[in-house]
Every structure is written in C-alpha cells, then in structure tokens.
C-alpha cells in the first residue's frame, strides 16, 4: 500500500520533469530577447529544434505527411508512393540500422564469449595472447571505422564489422574475467561426480560465467548501435546515421533530432529485451535477495 | 576392557578385504619457494564397509591425504589403491564419492537439479532421475525444497543436499572432508544421525576427515590420529560402540567419556605441538 503510493509519487515526479524539460525546449527561447542572461543561445531552435518541429519532421520522414504538410492517408496510395520515392525514409533507415546492430551484436557477443571462455580456461593460451589483446584493446575501436568502411564498402557489411569490433572486446574481457574467477570447488565437485571436460564447460563454466557476460550485454547493445551509426556517418546509402548526415547537410536540426529520438527509443527497447532475458537466465540470483 | 587394549593392532587387513590401500604417502608443497612437508610416509588401509575417521589438529595433513585419495592432489610419492587399482591424479575414480568441507552446490541449479547432477552426467533417463532424486529429497528431509535454489536454504539443509548429490549415484566409497565443520553443534548432531542411518543401510566404505573428536567417536569404527605437521599417523583406535548408534544418546554413555578422555590426551599433545611458538 505504502509502496504503491510511493511508486505513484515517483511517477508523478518523473512526469513533471518530462513536462518541464519539453516545455523549456519548446518555449524557452521565446524569452531570449527579454532575458538574455537567463536563456543561453544554445536554446535556439536553429541548433536544437523544438518538440513540435521534431514531431512534424517525424511525420514527414516517416511518410505519414507530405512535404506540403498534408496528411497522406493510408489508403490513397500516397504513403506507398512516398515509401517508394524516398530510399531512406524513417522506416527503412530504422530497419537497416536495427538489422546491422543486431548482426554486429550477435557476432560480437558470440565470438567474444567463445574467445573469453577458451582463453579464460587456458593459462597457456592466455599467456601467449595477453600482449596482443592488451595492444589491440588500447586502440579506440571507433578509430578503425574509416578503414573498415574503406575495406568493406559502404554497404551493410562495413556497419556490421564496425559494430562487431566495438562489441567483441567488451564481451571478451567480461567473459575472460568470469571464466578466470570460477570457484574451483564447483569444478572439482563436477569432476569428482564424473563430468568430462566438455560437461564441466557446459554445466559449470558457462553458467557461472553468465552473470559476468550479462553485465557486459547492456553496454554491448549500446556499443553495437554506436558502431553502426559511426559506420553510417562515414559512408552509407541507408540507415539512421545516414539520415542524420543528410539533415546536417541541410542544417535541419529537427531531422537530426528525429533520428536521435528514434535511436533513443531503439536503445531503450533493446536494453529492455536484455533485462528480460537476464531476469530469466539469472533467476537463481533473485533468490539471494529473499534470504 | 583396559585402555591399552583399545589401540588397534597394526595388522593389515587381508588384501582382498582392502577397499582403500594407502602406502608410503608423502606430500611436500612448494609455497613461495619454501618446501613445506605436509604429509610424511602415511600408510593405512580401510576395509570394505568400514567407517574410518582421520582425526588431527588443523595442519596435520589429514585433508591433504584425503584429497590425494580423491585425486584432487598429486602425491609427491607413495601409492594409493582403491579396490586394488591405483588412482590417477585429476581423473575421478569410479564408485568414489566426495563430500566437500563447504557445500559446493551449484547456485544456478535448483536443489533437485543439484542432487540429480551426477545422474544427468551419467545419462540416466529423466523419469528415473526424477524418482531417485525424489527418494533422496525424502531421505534428507528436503521434501518441498526440490524447486528452491540453494541460496534459499539453511546451512544444514544445504549440506544435506550436498551429501545427497554425492550419494545419489550410489558410490561404494565415500570420502568426506570435514563436511559438517561449518555447522552449529545441534545441526551437526542431526547430520550425524542422517549419515549414520544412511551408512547403516548402505554400508559404504567411509573415510571421514575431522578435527572434532566427538564427531569421530560418534560415527567411526576406527579413528586414525594424525600428528602435528608434518602429518604422520600417530595412533589408531578402535571405537567399539554397538550399532545402530544414536548420535545424541551415545554421548551420554560412560564408555564415550572414557574413550574421549583417552584420545583427547593424545590429540591435545599434537594440538600443542602444532601451535606456532
């Protein structure tokens, strides 16, 4: 009861903050001439647009409205024509960026996880690879993006590779640490119950490394998205990053902001998916709280 | 019976009655460049179905001996035979079960899945596995906790579950490394009764490491007393209480007090020797 009231109050505060934020964004600059000492120049809609313009631009970019400001309607064919006309409309751009993020994430997580497990469980291999890993890890991976685009072209492959390269190390290091810090007691227990090396890996090493891996997945999904967007900045025909570059070329702040808002929503949705998966796979950890 | 007669005669069991046979076992650890001799020339054997306790102060090498028998540690020299076959370091010996000092239940598996783990490894079909796990849960008084995770259980319950995880595969030899060391006195005595009931029925060969004399007297047929480091066998005592034993009642008998006093004296000497100057 008390907790419910508390949650309600929290929500009310959150709403209030949102409304204030949006209101200042929308109308704050109107006060600039009268109160120049209070309202910074940066609030100029030329730079940061304003919520109503962003929404308007969202409708246009997503073919829900024509450029003249008329609602397209779903059934008169205008929507379909607009979709066909603009190669990089918001739907396609989002789908392309999401797809590349997904592949970058999946390949990065799986290869980082596998490498982390192998090196984490083998003192010999980790000793051999240690200096190389440290060296490569010291490179800001994003700096490789232009080279990757040069090598793999402006198609989707270069985005997946950029995304992969920023994700793989993150997951690798977490898995590696996790595999190093496994309680030897668990491994001995499994071995004495007759487990083979592969059974030990499957039933002890992987489950006990999971908590470490999951700790890296939420940042990994943001990193995957960053990798794709940077790749699209450098050279792409489609994608949200491309949308941002196009809007920037036309000095259209509202267009960039649409892209940013969409990226935010995509990021939140993907993180929520990870949290759900984590809550399921690591459900044994929840019970620690009940003790 | 005179006190002297309690000392077990140092005669070996006939070879075909020996389940565990340890000969000239030595172990030296290298710690930061210093050699530490943990076990020196330990030889003993355990008959089929016998319950033997290895008793000694901490640092007397009794756990080291057990872990060498369990293949967790490699002996510096000496030989270990189980049913006449030498054990191989790092490879589990069939039919040998091990219970750890602290429970090593997998926190990511439910209690039932923990107990069924050994059966799962052996590829026992799900239905049979379920039956055997349920029987074990019942035996350990853990009915209704099968779907709980280990973190939700008390220390005693966890150790019972850990014991069942070892017993479910029905090992003929049971190696136990101070399994009840972390439990409070009453939980410990409960566990003694649980273990006694199981042992009386299954008659496994048990090698039980402990520093608790009362525990050794309650459970064992024979107590092998270890000296302070380097660990050697100092003495061996037959514990002649009738079976079945009751872990609570046995402590009230005069015989218990008599044996306790006798062995305590010898153990106390080692305890004092083991103290750092």
């Amino acid at each position: 009861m008390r907790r419910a009231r508390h949650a309600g109050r929290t929500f009310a505060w959150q709403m209030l903050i949102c409304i204030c934020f949006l209101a200042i964004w929308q109308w704050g600059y109107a006060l600039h001439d009268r109160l120049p000492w209070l309202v910074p120049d940066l609030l100029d809609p030329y730079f940061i647009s304003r919520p109503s313009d962003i929404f308007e631009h969202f409708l246009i970019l997503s073919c829900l409205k024509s450029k003249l400001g008329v609602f397209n309607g779903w059934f008169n064919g205008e929507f379909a024509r607009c979709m066909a006309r603009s190669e990089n409309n918001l739907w396609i751009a989002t789908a392309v960026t999401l797809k590349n993020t997904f592949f970058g994430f999946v390949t990065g997580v799986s290869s980082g996880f596998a490498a982390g497990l192998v090196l984490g469980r083998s003192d010999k291999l980790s000793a051999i690879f240690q200096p190389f890993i440290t060296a490569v890890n010291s490179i800001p991976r994003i700096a490789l993006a232009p080279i990757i685009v040069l090598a793999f072209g402006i198609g989707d492959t270069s985005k997946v590779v950029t995304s992969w390269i920023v994700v793989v190390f993150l997951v690798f290091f977490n898995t590696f640490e996790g595999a190093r810090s496994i309680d030897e007691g668990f491994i001995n227990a499994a071995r004495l119950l007759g487990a083979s090396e592969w059974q030990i890996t499957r039933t002890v090493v992987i489950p006990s490394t999971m908590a470490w891996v999951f700790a890296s997945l939420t940042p990994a999904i943001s990193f995957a998205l960053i990798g794709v967007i940077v790749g699209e900045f450098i050279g792409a025909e489609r994608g949200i990053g491309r949308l941002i570059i196009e809007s920037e070329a036309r000095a259209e702040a509202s267009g960039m902001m649409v892209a940013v808002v969409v990226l935010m929503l995509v990021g939140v949705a993907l993180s929520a998916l990870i949290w759900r998966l984590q809550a399921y796979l690591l459900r044994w950890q929840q019970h620690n709280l009940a003790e | 019976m005179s006190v002297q007669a309690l000392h077990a005669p140092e005669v070996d069991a006939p070879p075909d009655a020996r389940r565990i046979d340890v000969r000239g076992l030595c172990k030296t650890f290298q710690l930061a460049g210093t050699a530490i001799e943990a076990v020196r020339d330990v030889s003993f054997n355990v008959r089929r179905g016998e319950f033997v306790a290895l008793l000694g102060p901490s640092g007397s090498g009794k756990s080291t001996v057990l872990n060498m028998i369990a293949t967790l540690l490699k002996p510096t020299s000496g030989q270990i035979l189980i049913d006449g076959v030498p054990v191989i370091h790092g490879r589990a010996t069939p039919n040998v079960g091990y219970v750890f000092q602290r429970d090593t239940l997998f926190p990511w598996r439910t209690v039932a899945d923990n107990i069924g783990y050994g059966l799962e490894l052996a590829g026992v079909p799900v239905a049979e596995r379920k039956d055997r796990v349920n029987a074990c849960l019942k035996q350990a008084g853990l009915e209704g906790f099968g779907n709980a995770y280990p973190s939700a259980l008390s220390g005693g319950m966890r150790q019972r579950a850990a014991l069942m995880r070892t017993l479910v595969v029905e090992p003929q030899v049971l190696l136990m490394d101070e399994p009840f060391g972390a439990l409070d006195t009453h939980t410990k005595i409960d566990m003694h009764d649980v273990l006694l009931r199981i042992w009386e029925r299954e008659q496994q060969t048990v090698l039980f490491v402990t520093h608790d004399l009362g525990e050794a007297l309650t459970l064992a047929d024979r107590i092998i007393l270890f000296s302070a480091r380097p660990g050697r066998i100092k003495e061996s005592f037959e514990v002649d209480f009738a079976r079945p034993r009751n872990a609570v009642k046995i402590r009230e008998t005069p015989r218990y007090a008599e044996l306790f006093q006798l062995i305590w004296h010898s153990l106390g000497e080692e305890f004092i020797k083991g103290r750092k100057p």
Side-chain angles (χ1 to χ4, degrees):
Chain A
M1 188 67 198
R2 201 158 156 188
R3 176 166 285 190
R5 201 160 62 210
H6 188 71
R9 202 171 291 167
T10 307
F11 184 70
W13 273 107
Q14 289 165 339
M15 280 290 101
L16 188 69
I17 291 169
C18 276
I19 290 166
C20 287
F21 178 76
L22 290 173
I24 292 170
W25 195 357
Q26 178 73 26
W27 295 294
Y29 197 70
L31 295 172
H32 184 262
D33 287 345
R34 256 180 295 166
L35 304 167
W37 50 271
L38 180 69
V39 183
D41 291 342
L42 200 68
L43 268 185
D44 190 337
Y46 180 77
F47 302 125
I48 61 164
S49 188
R50 56 160 64 98
S52 60
D53 291 351
I54 295 169
F55 184 67
E56 193 77 1
H57 210 114
F58 163 75
L59 293 177
I60 292 168
L61 280 175
S62 56
C63 282
L64 294 171
K65 220 171 182 184
S66 79
K67 287 202 169 148
L68 300 170
V70 186
F71 181 62
N72 277 335
W74 291 91
F75 304 110
N76 57 8
E78 193 55 43
F79 179 74
R81 267 197 295 282
C82 167
M83 287 286 286
R85 193 169 58 240
S86 54
E87 286 246 307
N88 196 26
N89 65 59
L90 195 55
W91 304 103
I92 292 175
T94 308
V96 166
T97 300
L98 256 183
K99 188 194 78 184
N100 291 339
T101 303
F102 175 77
F103 283 121
F105 177 77
V106 168
T107 52
V109 169
S110 45
S111 54
F113 179 65
L117 269 193
V118 171
L119 293 196
R121 294 307 302 164
S122 161
D123 291 335
K124 236 179 263 171
L125 285 179
S126 68
I128 294 172
F129 285 100
Q130 176 78 47
F132 303 114
I133 292 162
T134 312
V136 177
N137 189 43
S138 314
I139 305 170
R141 254 82 66 200
I142 284 298
L144 297 172
I147 302 168
I148 292 168
V149 174
L150 197 64
F152 292 91
I154 59 169
D156 290 348
T157 317
S158 60
K159 316 303 173 293
V160 174
V161 174
T162 314
S163 183
W164 170 80
I165 212 163
V166 290
V167 170
V168 68
F169 278 91
L170 185 71
V171 177
F172 168 79
F173 281 110
N174 267 50
T175 313
F176 182 78
E177 278 307 314
R180 293 249 111 172
S181 60
I182 293 175
D183 188 334
E184 282 301 317
F186 292 148
I187 292 181
N188 285 336
R191 177 166 291 138
L192 291 180
L193 282 163
S196 64
E197 281 305 313
W198 165 239
Q199 283 173 321
I200 290 173
T201 304
R202 195 170 52 81
T203 61
V204 179
V205 176
I206 291 178
S208 57
T209 314
M210 268 304 147
W212 288 79
V213 175
F214 267 100
S216 71
L217 289 193
T218 316
I221 200 96
S222 326
F223 275 42
L225 203 51
I226 291 172
V228 172
I229 296 296
V230 170
E232 288 171 354
F233 280 174
I234 290 163
E237 287 166 329
R238 298 176 306 170
I240 295 181
R242 168 79 192 175
L243 261 187
I244 294 176
I245 294 290
E246 282 170 358
S247 301
E248 197 237 346
R250 288 196 293 265
E252 262 177 1
S254 55
M256 290 190 268
M257 281 298 178
V258 169
V260 169
V261 171
V262 169
L263 285 177
M264 183 183 79
L265 296 178
V266 165
V268 169
L270 293 176
S271 300
L273 269 177
I274 300 279
W275 293 330
R276 293 292 290 275
L277 190 66
Q278 177 170 11
Y280 174 72
L281 282 176
L282 299 184
R283 58 195 178 284
W284 55 274
Q285 284 192 330
Q286 312 283 318
H287 292 251
N288 293 339
L289 301 173
E291 202 171 11
Chain B
M1 187 186 282
S2 85
V3 154
Q4 283 309 313
L6 288 167
H7 293 249
E10 294 297 329
V11 282
D12 284 341
D16 57 331
R18 291 175 199 171
R19 185 125 243 178
I20 304 173
D21 201 349
V22 174
R23 296 176 194 166
L25 206 56
C26 296
K27 178 72 186 177
T28 305
F29 289 106
Q30 294 294 333
L31 267 185
T34 335
I36 293 174
E37 191 182 13
V39 176
R40 181 188 291 173
D41 192 25
V42 166
S43 301
F44 64 93
N45 55 62
V46 183
R47 284 190 301 275
R48 209 170 293 271
E50 193 180 17
F51 197 130
V52 171
L54 301 183
L55 180 71
S58 56
S60 62
K62 56 197 189 302
S63 285
T64 308
V65 168
L66 190 81
N67 287 333
M68 287 191 281
I69 297 172
T71 73
L72 289 173
L73 286 175
K74 193 175 181 169
T76 307
S77 64
Q79 206 181 15
I80 300 161
L81 305 169
I82 289 183
D83 287 329
V85 181
V87 301
I88 303 160
H89 169 64
R91 191 175 306 167
T93 316
N95 269 326
V96 176
Y98 187 94
V99 183
F100 288 81
Q101 194 160 9
R102 60 189 176 83
D103 79 79
T104 51
L105 292 175
F106 304 124
W108 54 86
R109 283 176 170 251
T110 61
V111 172
D113 286 347
N114 262 291
I115 294 176
Y117 182 71
L119 300 175
E120 197 181 311
L121 293 176
V124 173
V126 180
E128 188 194 335
R129 208 194 297 166
K130 210 173 164 187
D131 289 344
R132 284 169 74 175
V133 168
N134 283 337
C136 280
L137 283 169
K138 192 160 174 241
Q139 203 172 55
L142 290 168
E143 296 117 313
F145 289 96
N147 290 324
Y149 285 94
S151 55
L153 304 187
S154 70
M157 291 162 94
R158 290 167 66 106
Q159 200 51 275
R160 266 179 285 165
L163 182 61
M164 285 306 153
R165 183 178 65 177
T166 305
L167 290 177
V168 74
V169 292
E170 296 170 358
Q172 300 302 302
V173 177
L174 208 48
L175 306 175
M176 307 180 85
D177 185 15
E178 300 193 35
F180 312 137
L183 304 178
D184 65 77
T185 314
H186 297 116
T187 314
K188 206 175 194 177
I189 290 173
D190 281 344
M191 293 300 297
H192 292 160
D193 269 328
V194 169
L195 182 59
L196 282 171
R197 294 300 85 75
I198 292 166
W199 182 81
E200 279 153 11
R201 199 181 55 243
E202 309 283 339
Q203 295 282 308
Q204 301 100 330
T205 306
V206 184
L207 197 53
F208 190 104
V209 165
T210 181
H211 58 253
D212 178 345
L213 173 54
E215 181 168 72
L217 281 173
T218 306
L219 298 171
D221 295 320
R222 186 155 57 103
I223 295 175
I224 295 176
L225 182 63
F226 274 63
S227 69
R229 187 157 50 222
R232 280 153 296 154
I233 293 180
K234 188 185 180 194
E235 276 177 284
S236 166
F237 303 89
E238 294 287 343
V239 182
D240 50 4
F241 298 120
R243 304 225 182 229
R245 295 179 186 173
N246 176 313
V248 179
K249 292 269 160 59
I250 203 170
R251 289 180 185 244
E252 296 166 357
T253 59
R255 182 81 183 126
Y256 180 89
E258 193 184 347
L259 279 173
F260 193 96
Q261 201 182 10
L262 171 74
I263 305 174
W264 182 254
H265 179 73
S266 192
L267 179 63
E269 283 175 358
E270 297 311 314
F271 173 69
I272 288 160
K273 262 192 247 166
R275 274 184 186 159
K276 295 277 172 291

